[in-house]
Amino acid sequence: MTSGFRRLNMGLTKQYLRYVASAVFGLIGSQKGNIVFVTLRGEKGRYVAVPACEHVFIWDLRKGEKILILQGLKQEVTCLCPSPDGLHLAVGYEDGSIRIFSLLSGEGNITFNGHKAAVTSLKYDQLGGRLASGSKDTDVIIWDVINESGLYRLKGHKDAVTQALFLRERNLLVTSGKDTMVKWWDLDNQHCFKTMVGHRTEVWGLVLVSEEKKLITGAADSELRAWDIAYLQEIDDPEEPEAKKIKECPRTQDTPEAEDGALEADEASEEDRILSCRKAGSIMREGRDRVGTDSVLEVFCILSKAEVQKKMDKKLKKARKKAKLNTDSGEEDPETSVSMTLQDEIHRVANIKTSSKIKSFDLIHSPQGELKAVFLLQNNLVELYSLNASLPTPQPVRTSRITIGGHRSDVRTLSFSSDNIAMLSAAADSVKIWNRSTLQCIRTMPCEYALCSFFVPGDRQVVIGTKTGNLQLFDLASGNLLETVAAHDGALWSMSLSPDQRGFVTGGADKAVKFWDFELVTDKNSTQKRLSVKHTRTLQLDEDVLCVTYSPNQKLLAVSLLDCTVKVFYVDTLKDGALIATGSADRNVKIWGLDFGDCHRSLFAHDDSVMHLRFVPKSHLFFTAGKDRKIKQWDADKFEHIQTLEGHHQEIWCLAVSPNGDYVVSASHDKSLRLWERTREPLILEEEREMQREAEYEESVAKEDQPAVPGETQGDSYFTGKKTIETVKAAERIMEAIELYREETAKIKEHRAICRAAGKEVPLPVNPILMAYGNISPSAYVLEIIKGVKSSELEEALLVLPFSYVPDILSLLNEFIQTGTDIELLCRCLFFLLRIHFGQITSNQMLVPVIEKLKETTISKVRQVQDVIGFNMAGLDYLKRECEAKSEVTFFAEATGRLEEKKRKRRNRRKMILTLT
């Protein structure tokens, strides 16, 4: 139960000021997403991207600094994937959207909306032109990154997709899911041609190795399964080199569960028309949980063919030597054979032990040949390890660690300094002091499990109340613990600084309220005096004390108890008084009268427990924080809800209001601290309610069922979009443009008739909208509106258009295509409209001439574009050959120069030797 004191009186109409989100800090990385290496300023292995609630932070591992923030909107980040060229970062969100950010500018200009649930997997193809996304909605969508549009949707998994991989040399995709399946997709016809059912638990990861001829999968058990892949053309024309001195034998199964391989061996031959996949064996991991969830990373190495051959030669030699010892000297050597197991191809390198449980990791090979592994840990920590696999016994070395940017556990208490400059946050193991303006951590001090805190007047010391019942007094200048005082026999839940700033009061689980005064004492080892605390009196109660707070005039003390009651005492006599504003786990905030102890108003404040309540100093406004992830501001005079601050993604534990009321800081279970700032923008309650209704409407529009595509069946994979408020607004803009085109066309016809009747030209008034676009024609205005729609939202916007607008659009498309500009965009719109309205268009006799004209115009213009592209390609090929020829000449010239330099040095060395002798 939380409480706050203010004397209530009904005043005049007030003007409220809006609070807005200022910054997110105290967070190194969120747990829902994955950490990845990114390339910045031409350096690899130095920078990493981590999810941070709705944002993405770019950290410099060498300096331990945050150098870039990729700003998100509202939804939490769930997946990251850098592009092959290192210039972009794909970010997946909780609502299923995907944004492509530029790592040079930090802006996200491309947005894909197609999934209905959180994005769980992202992967680029080798060139970076396509992006595969998997989601909790069980779908896989292939996106065209260059054209900023969806290509097709792949349906088949029955549970969340965990990973997707493009093959380098073939137009194939392999995916894994929590439905225990691994699926192979032919992207030429968007068809799943093979399903692997050899797993008994969720498949959490997979990787292609050995020139994409071996697939390794990791599931929820401790077994890594390896699969041999043979492609059709290689089966028809095998080129198997004979192993020297090794008799071919079938692989030995490395697991007792041989029936898993039998399931794959009995697959229908129809599935093998593109490739065949047979189980090669298993490797047992040391970890027993699913892949990537414990605190140990097991590193394996895939040996090359030469290394495997060398290993098998040694194995054969050893077997022959052993067989020779077991035979008589007069007998001939028997024929010896050895079988190759999976352990002969896959070598265990080392284990990397991290300081906490691993949530995600990423690997990269440095130019020096070292393996770098970066980890995002469960306790809000990033660690970097290096491993030199070329050594006989490689040992991982931790080279970097990012710790100062956040706490290892949830923050339980927050406080502001009296000058509003510093902020305090304390958790289970440490106290951190933050600079409010720079959001930098300026001091970290180890402590016991903190529950409450405040700055001592003067802002040179802080007092922490702990779970063990102790008071800990810290000096901020030195960062030292000055004193630990045993205050309560149980948890010390709450403290309140007295308004006269001479002492404070504490309440604990030992059913006691204790009063303390500040005093100066002299240490035994020093002649200087330091601050200490002295216990003056105790108020014993019948229930555990959860919260205590002074009234502003220090005459009353409010105490909330475990039995859901609040008692108010006179400070001087410690007798019961009356009034408090309280928040509780019943989700209500109650405002009580001063005189008679009656409840003036009960407000339904949050959808879950109210965790904290704080008044804005020198006002009757207060903030509440709840487990529903929201912070709300209230007016205690009018009993009105003023505004809601949303941003946290987990339960909010505590908040603090600065002494001047300009700042609010909050802490949540998502490990983040958020700073909210009061602006000078007036807040009008009626407008705020209207904005809330608009936001609710937009959410309801986004949650509506996806409109059906005429002619599409459930299994079709053509349509990849999703209805959003942006696509609805885009469709409305197109409809408004068509309406304006119709009106202006009618006005022009009417104006021409008037001119003919009058026998003279009469000026036609120009539409102000067309004038704003440079006095363009109505048809050109429609084209501008269509060009203004984002490429990723175009199909969805055209889909929701009523058919009554389609004839006008088709006529306009014919006019636009004849001009020869924006052919690609216009053809895309044309083909999509023909696909979704094919039946209605062909049955409408009025549209037959339009379609015939479109056919002729489109074919001729597309051929012209093809000719231009062909000419440009030929020119580029010519330039490429010229550049290659010049580079070869330069290369040979440099090689000749280096050879001459070596000869010259050799001659000089000989001369020097002759001189010395």
Side-chain angles (χ1 to χ4, degrees), residues 550-595:
Y550 276 109
S551 63
N553 57 12
Q554 203 172 331
K555 291 183 178 180
L556 300 175
L557 176 71
V559 181
S560 66
L561 304 177
L562 189 61
D563 60 359
C564 302
T565 62
V566 177
K567 292 187 177 183
V568 182
F569 300 90
Y570 290 103
V571 174
D572 51 358
T573 63
L574 295 183
K575 293 182 179 180
D576 289 359
L579 175 83
I580 196 66
T582 60
S584 173
D586 62 3
R587 301 177 290 179
N588 294 319
V589 170
K590 295 182 184 293
I591 301 174
W592 307 83
L594 269 171
D595 300 328

Coordinates of all heavy atoms in Angstrom, one line a residue, residues 550-595:
Y550 N 5.3 11.8 6.3 CA 4.9 13.0 7.0 C 4.0 13.8 6.2 O 4.0 13.9 5.0 CB 6.2 13.8 7.3 CG 7.0 13.4 8.5 CD1 8.2 12.8 8.4 CD2 6.5 13.6 9.8 CE1 9.0 12.4 9.5 CE2 7.3 13.3 10.9 CZ 8.5 12.6 10.8 OH 9.2 12.3 11.9
S551 N 3.2 14.6 6.9 CA 2.4 15.7 6.3 C 3.3 16.9 6.0 O 4.4 17.0 6.7 CB 1.2 16.1 7.2 OG 1.7 16.6 8.4
P552 N 3.0 17.7 5.1 CA 3.9 18.9 4.8 C 4.2 19.8 6.0 O 5.3 20.3 6.1 CB 3.2 19.6 3.7 CG 2.3 18.6 3.0 CD 1.9 17.7 4.1
N553 N 3.3 19.9 6.9 CA 3.6 20.7 8.1 C 4.2 20.0 9.2 O 4.3 20.5 10.3 CB 2.3 21.4 8.5 CG 1.2 20.4 8.8 OD1 1.4 19.2 9.0 ND2 -0.1 20.9 9.0
Q554 N 4.4 18.7 9.1 CA 5.1 17.8 10.0 C 4.2 17.6 11.3 O 4.7 17.2 12.3 CB 6.5 18.3 10.4 CG 7.4 17.3 11.0 CD 8.8 17.7 11.2 OE1 9.2 18.6 10.4 NE2 9.5 17.2 12.1
K555 N 2.9 17.9 11.2 CA 2.1 17.7 12.4 C 1.5 16.3 12.4 O 1.1 15.8 13.4 CB 0.9 18.7 12.4 CG 1.4 20.1 12.6 CD 0.2 21.1 12.7 CE 0.6 22.5 13.0 NZ -0.5 23.4 13.1
L556 N 1.4 15.7 11.2 CA 0.7 14.3 11.1 C 1.7 13.4 10.5 O 2.6 13.7 9.7 CB -0.5 14.4 10.3 CG -1.6 15.4 10.7 CD1 -2.8 15.4 9.7 CD2 -2.1 14.9 12.1
L557 N 1.5 12.1 10.9 CA 2.3 11.0 10.3 C 1.3 9.9 9.9 O 0.5 9.4 10.7 CB 3.3 10.4 11.3 CG 4.1 9.2 10.9 CD1 5.1 9.6 9.8 CD2 4.8 8.5 12.1
A558 N 1.4 9.5 8.6 CA 0.5 8.5 8.1 C 1.3 7.2 8.0 O 2.4 7.1 7.6 CB 0.0 8.8 6.7
V559 N 0.6 6.1 8.5 CA 1.2 4.8 8.5 C 0.3 3.8 7.8 O -0.9 3.6 8.3 CB 1.6 4.3 9.9 CG1 2.2 3.0 9.9 CG2 2.4 5.4 10.6
S560 N 0.7 3.1 6.8 CA -0.1 2.1 6.1 C 0.3 0.7 6.7 O 1.5 0.5 6.8 CB 0.0 2.1 4.6 OG 1.3 1.8 4.2
L561 N -0.6 -0.2 6.9 CA -0.4 -1.4 7.6 C -0.7 -2.6 6.7 O -1.4 -2.4 5.7 CB -1.1 -1.5 8.9 CG -0.9 -0.4 9.9 CD1 -1.7 -0.6 11.1 CD2 0.6 -0.3 10.3
L562 N -0.3 -3.8 7.1 CA -0.5 -5.0 6.3 C -2.0 -5.4 6.3 O -2.4 -6.1 5.4 CB 0.4 -6.1 6.8 CG 0.5 -7.4 6.0 CD1 1.0 -7.1 4.6 CD2 1.3 -8.4 6.7
D563 N -2.8 -4.9 7.2 CA -4.2 -5.3 7.3 C -5.0 -4.4 6.4 O -6.2 -4.3 6.6 CB -4.7 -5.3 8.7 CG -4.5 -3.9 9.4 OD1 -4.0 -3.0 8.7 OD2 -4.9 -3.8 10.6
C564 N -4.4 -3.7 5.5 CA -5.1 -2.8 4.5 C -5.7 -1.6 5.2 O -6.7 -1.0 4.7 CB -6.2 -3.6 3.8 SG -5.6 -5.0 2.9
T565 N -5.2 -1.1 6.3 CA -5.7 0.1 7.0 C -4.6 1.1 7.0 O -3.4 0.8 6.8 CB -6.1 -0.2 8.4 OG1 -5.0 -0.7 9.1 CG2 -7.2 -1.2 8.5
V566 N -5.0 2.4 7.1 CA -4.1 3.5 7.2 C -4.4 4.2 8.5 O -5.5 4.6 8.7 CB -4.2 4.4 6.0 CG1 -3.3 5.6 6.2 CG2 -3.9 3.7 4.7
K567 N -3.4 4.4 9.3 CA -3.5 5.2 10.5 C -2.7 6.4 10.5 O -1.6 6.5 10.0 CB -3.1 4.3 11.7 CG -4.0 3.1 12.0 CD -3.6 2.4 13.3 CE -4.5 1.3 13.6 NZ -4.2 0.6 14.9
V568 N -3.4 7.5 10.9 CA -2.8 8.8 10.9 C -2.6 9.3 12.3 O -3.5 9.3 13.1 CB -3.6 9.8 10.1 CG1 -2.9 11.2 10.0 CG2 -3.8 9.3 8.7
F569 N -1.3 9.6 12.7 CA -1.0 10.0 14.1 C -0.5 11.5 14.1 O 0.1 12.0 13.1 CB 0.1 9.1 14.6 CG -0.2 7.7 14.7 CD1 0.0 6.8 13.6 CD2 -0.9 7.1 15.8 CE1 -0.3 5.5 13.6 CE2 -1.2 5.8 15.8 CZ -0.9 5.0 14.7
Y570 N -0.8 12.1 15.3 CA -0.2 13.4 15.5 C 1.3 13.1 15.9 O 1.6 12.3 16.8 CB -0.9 14.2 16.6 CG -2.2 14.7 16.2 CD1 -3.4 14.0 16.7 CD2 -2.4 15.8 15.4 CE1 -4.6 14.4 16.3 CE2 -3.6 16.2 15.1 CZ -4.8 15.6 15.5 OH -6.0 16.0 15.1
V571 N 2.2 13.9 15.3 CA 3.6 13.6 15.5 C 4.0 13.9 16.9 O 4.8 13.1 17.5 CB 4.5 14.4 14.5 CG1 6.0 14.3 14.8 CG2 4.2 14.0 13.1
D572 N 3.5 14.9 17.6 CA 3.9 15.3 18.9 C 3.4 14.3 19.9 O 4.1 13.9 20.8 CB 3.5 16.7 19.2 CG 2.0 16.9 19.0 OD1 1.3 16.0 18.5 OD2 1.5 18.0 19.2
T573 N 2.1 13.9 19.8 CA 1.5 13.0 20.9 C 1.5 11.5 20.4 O 1.2 10.6 21.2 CB 0.2 13.5 21.2 OG1 -0.7 13.4 20.1 CG2 0.2 14.9 21.7
L574 N 1.6 11.3 19.1 CA 1.4 9.9 18.5 C 0.1 9.4 18.7 O -0.2 8.2 18.9 CB 2.5 9.0 19.0 CG 4.0 9.3 18.6 CD1 4.9 8.2 19.1 CD2 4.1 9.5 17.1
K575 N -1.0 10.3 18.8 CA -2.3 9.9 18.8 C -2.9 9.9 17.4 O -2.5 10.6 16.6 CB -3.1 10.8 19.8 CG -2.7 10.6 21.2 CD -3.6 11.5 22.1 CE -3.2 11.4 23.6 NZ -4.0 12.2 24.5
D576 N -4.0 9.1 17.2 CA -4.6 9.0 15.9 C -5.2 10.4 15.5 O -5.8 11.1 16.2 CB -5.8 8.0 15.9 CG -5.2 6.6 16.1 OD1 -4.0 6.5 16.1 OD2 -6.0 5.7 16.1
G577 N -5.0 10.7 14.2 CA -5.6 11.8 13.5 C -6.4 11.3 12.4 O -7.1 10.3 12.5
A578 N -6.5 12.1 11.3 CA -7.3 11.7 10.1 C -6.8 12.3 8.8 O -6.3 13.4 8.9 CB -8.8 12.1 10.3
L579 N -6.9 11.6 7.7 CA -6.8 11.9 6.3 C -5.5 11.4 5.6 O -4.5 11.5 6.2 CB -6.9 13.4 5.9 CG -6.6 13.5 4.5 CD1 -7.8 13.3 3.6 CD2 -5.9 14.7 4.1
I580 N -5.8 10.8 4.5 CA -4.6 10.4 3.6 C -5.2 10.1 2.2 O -6.4 9.8 2.1 CB -3.9 9.2 4.2 CG1 -2.6 9.0 3.6 CG2 -4.8 7.9 4.1 CD1 -1.6 10.0 3.9
A581 N -4.3 10.2 1.2 CA -4.6 9.7 -0.1 C -3.8 8.4 -0.3 O -2.6 8.4 -0.1 CB -4.2 10.7 -1.2
T582 N -4.5 7.3 -0.6 CA -3.8 6.0 -0.6 C -4.0 5.3 -1.9 O -5.0 5.4 -2.6 CB -4.4 5.1 0.6 OG1 -5.8 4.9 0.3 CG2 -4.2 5.8 1.9
G583 N -3.1 4.4 -2.2 CA -3.2 3.5 -3.3 C -2.9 2.1 -2.9 O -2.0 1.9 -2.0
S584 N -3.5 1.1 -3.5 CA -3.5 -0.2 -2.9 C -3.4 -1.3 -4.0 O -3.6 -1.0 -5.2 CB -4.7 -0.5 -2.0 OG -4.7 -1.8 -1.5
A585 N -3.3 -2.5 -3.6 CA -3.3 -3.7 -4.5 C -4.7 -3.9 -5.1 O -4.8 -4.7 -6.0 CB -2.7 -4.9 -3.8
D586 N -5.7 -3.3 -4.5 CA -7.0 -3.4 -5.1 C -7.3 -2.6 -6.3 O -8.4 -2.4 -6.8 CB -8.1 -3.1 -4.0 CG -8.0 -1.7 -3.5 OD1 -7.2 -0.9 -4.0 OD2 -8.8 -1.3 -2.6
R587 N -6.2 -1.9 -6.8 CA -6.2 -1.1 -8.0 C -6.8 0.2 -7.9 O -7.0 1.0 -8.9 CB -6.8 -1.9 -9.2 CG -6.1 -3.2 -9.5 CD -6.8 -4.0 -10.6 NE -8.1 -4.5 -10.1 CZ -8.9 -5.2 -10.9 NH1 -8.5 -5.5 -12.1 NH2 -10.0 -5.6 -10.4
N588 N -7.2 0.6 -6.7 CA -7.9 1.9 -6.4 C -7.0 2.9 -5.7 O -6.1 2.5 -5.0 CB -9.2 1.7 -5.6 CG -10.2 0.8 -6.4 OD1 -10.4 1.0 -7.6 ND2 -10.9 -0.1 -5.7
V589 N -7.3 4.1 -5.9 CA -6.8 5.2 -5.2 C -7.9 5.9 -4.4 O -8.9 6.3 -5.0 CB -6.1 6.3 -6.1 CG1 -5.7 7.5 -5.3 CG2 -4.8 5.7 -6.7
K590 N -7.8 6.0 -3.1 CA -8.8 6.6 -2.3 C -8.3 7.9 -1.6 O -7.2 8.0 -1.2 CB -9.2 5.6 -1.2 CG -9.9 4.3 -1.7 CD -10.3 3.4 -0.6 CE -10.9 2.1 -1.1 NZ -12.1 2.3 -1.9
I591 N -9.2 8.9 -1.7 CA -8.9 10.2 -1.1 C -9.8 10.4 0.1 O -11.0 10.3 0.0 CB -9.0 11.3 -2.1 CG1 -8.1 11.1 -3.3 CG2 -8.8 12.7 -1.5 CD1 -8.3 12.0 -4.4
W592 N -9.2 10.5 1.3 CA -10.0 10.6 2.6 C -10.0 12.0 3.1 O -9.1 12.8 2.9 CB -9.3 9.7 3.6 CG -9.0 8.3 3.1 CD1 -8.0 7.8 2.3 CD2 -9.8 7.1 3.3 NE1 -8.1 6.5 2.1 CE2 -9.2 6.0 2.7 CE3 -11.0 6.9 4.0 CZ2 -9.7 4.7 2.7 CZ3 -11.5 5.6 4.0 CH2 -10.9 4.5 3.4
G593 N -11.1 12.3 3.8 CA -11.3 13.6 4.4 C -10.5 13.8 5.6 O -10.2 12.9 6.4
L594 N -10.1 15.0 5.9 CA -9.3 15.4 7.0 C -10.1 15.4 8.3 O -9.6 14.9 9.4 CB -8.6 16.8 6.9 CG -7.3 16.9 6.2 CD1 -6.9 18.3 5.9 CD2 -6.2 16.2 7.1
D595 N -11.3 15.8 8.3 CA -12.0 16.1 9.5 C -12.6 14.8 10.1 O -12.5 14.6 11.3 CB -13.1 17.1 9.3 CG -12.5 18.4 8.8 OD1 -11.3 18.7 9.2 OD2 -13.1 19.1 8.0

